[in-house]
Amino acid sequence: MNTYTSSSLLDVIIVGAGPTGLSAALLLGRSRKQVLVIDSGQPRNAVSHAANGFFSRDGIAPSELLQIGREQLHKYKNVRFQTGKVIDAKPLGTEKGDRFQITLDSGEQFTTRKLLLATGVTDKLPAIAGFAELWGTGVFHCPYCHGWEVQDQPLAIYGKGATGFEMAQHLTGWSRDLILCSNGNAELSEDQRNQLSMWGVELREEKIARLEQENGALTGIALTTGEVIPQHGIFVQPQPHQHSELAKQLGCNLADSGAV
Ligand SMILES: Cc1cc2nc3c(=O)[nH]c(=O)nc-3n(C[C@H](O)[C@H](O)[C@H](O)COP(=O)(O)OP(=O)(O)OC[C@H]3O[C@@H](n4cnc5c(N)ncnc54)[C@H](O)[C@@H]3O)c2cc1C
């Protein structure tokens, strides 16, 4: 709970209480800083059943991981939490970056010496029926996070050019029953096409109509030709975007990849 008031000058405000924000809060708390962590409750992997490959917590529910992180911060009374969305952040003081004032969607304001943005990213998925619905359960982005669970199963890769080609190469470590769906011209060289066939990856360039599902599980990829290819998982490289506009608002430079 937060007992800081709008007139307190905090050492650090952390926006975002996902793994990044909570890790920062732990070390700043132990450094005896007055810390306020503000979170709007929409972590990137909320749709996922399990966070895999995280040392000492393999397979844990994402919400439980965050709960443990918060519980371990209880003893640091100098770390407080506030629920809400930060909608505005601006530098105050004579020197730029001297102090920051932030405003929540509730209208509350806080002032801090340092502002740490741990707001994460969101993923823009292909605008094809089924991708959003199966995100995290049948549509995956990371072989390290989800490859083990679908190993040796019939899997698809969605993508064209280097993105699809490299993901296909990568996934040969988890399954040898792979198709690359480029949803139109695959934009691959003759060499790359030969390489795919040497790996045993079938290339399908037909347009995708939708992903088919049963009880929340992917059952097949329906092409606009009417054919349905039975698959148990599809890997895609979504375009990441900053979850919040705060970095942009503060004048930070954004790379084409969406990173600050
Ligand atoms: C489907 C899926 C499955 C994944 N599976 C795994 C896995 O198995 N293993 C693994 O290691 N990684 C996995 N990941 C990656 C993992 O989710 C991220 O690495 C992790 O969430 C990054 O943590 P973060 O704290 O940077 O961001 P997030 O977890 O996204 O947390 C950011 C927080 O900031 C808050 N926030 C944003 N803007 C504001 C604002 N303006 N005001 C207040 N709060 C705000 C959000 O509500 C959110 O709670 C997966 C990702 C996805 C999409």
Side-chain angles (χ1 to χ4, degrees):
M1 199 185 66
N2 172 29
T3 50
Y4 294 134
T5 65
S6 53
S7 58
S8 324
L9 174 61
L10 296 156
D11 290 318
V12 187
I13 285 179
I14 301 173
V15 189
T20 308
L22 294 177
S23 302
L26 182 58
L27 284 186
L28 289 164
R30 292 181 57 80
S31 308
R32 306 185 65 201
K33 303 297 180 196
Q34 298 296 313
V35 179
L36 178 61
V37 187
I38 304 170
D39 189 69
S40 57
Q42 295 172 310
R44 183 183 178 200
N45 61 346
V47 292
S48 207
H49 298 311
N52 299 308
F54 195 102
F55 173 66
S56 85
R57 293 284 184 270
D58 184 36
I60 193 169
S63 57
E64 195 186 341
L65 180 65
L66 297 181
Q67 193 189 327
I68 293 170
R70 283 188 180 231
E71 277 167 12
Q72 293 190 343
L73 284 163
H74 278 167
K75 71 176 183 190
Y76 303 101
K77 303 296 178 211
N78 48 326
V79 177
R80 311 272 164 79
F81 284 90
Q82 171 99 21
T83 300
K85 183 176 177 186
V86 177
I87 53 164
D88 187 58
K90 60 177 180 221
L92 292 179
T94 46
E95 296 214 9
K96 211 176 170 199
D98 204 21
R99 286 173 194 192
F100 296 89
Q101 186 182 59
I102 59 107
T103 308
L104 271 75
D105 50 359
S106 61
E108 280 171 288
Q109 292 189 315
F110 296 96
T111 308
T112 177
R113 293 179 209 280
K114 301 284 179 201
L115 180 62
L116 203 159
L117 300 182
T119 44
V121 297
T122 54
D123 304 278
K124 189 170 178 205
L125 293 163
I128 298 174
F131 272 88
E133 294 87 336
L134 289 163
W135 179 228
T137 55
V139 177
F140 309 107
H141 74 299
C142 168
Y144 301 104
C145 300
H146 303 288
W148 178 266
E149 281 64 35
V150 291
Q151 62 184 298
D152 295 327
Q153 294 184 26
L155 303 177
I157 300 102
Y158 174 93
K160 51 181 68 180
T163 311
F165 179 78
E166 284 163 15
M167 181 65 98
Q169 177 180 22
H170 212 50
L171 271 175
T172 55
W174 282 271
S175 176
R176 283 295 179 164
D177 190 348
L178 298 175
I179 57 166
L180 172 58
C181 293
S182 54
N183 193 36
N185 189 319
E187 295 170 16
L188 295 174
S189 67
E190 228 20 69
D191 278 356
Q192 286 171 316
R193 287 170 189 261
N194 290 338
Q195 189 63 66
L196 284 177
S197 114
M198 277 170 61
W199 293 328
V201 179
E202 190 188 347
L203 176 61
R204 302 299 302 254
E205 296 184 272
E206 302 95 320
K207 287 272 183 190
I208 299 173
R210 68 189 169 281
L211 301 184
E212 303 224 316
Q213 53 182 303
E214 219 174 277
N215 303 322
L218 176 71
T219 53
I221 299 168
L223 305 176
T224 50
T225 55
E227 185 186 352
V228 178
I229 313 169
Q231 297 292 325
H232 294 168
I234 183 162
F235 283 76
V236 57
Q237 287 254 283
Q239 182 66 41
H241 290 272
Q242 287 298 314
H243 189 146
S244 94
E245 292 284 302
L246 296 173
K248 205 167 151 192
Q249 223 178 68
L250 286 160
C252 301
N253 289 327
L254 297 186
D256 289 341
S257 65
V260 177

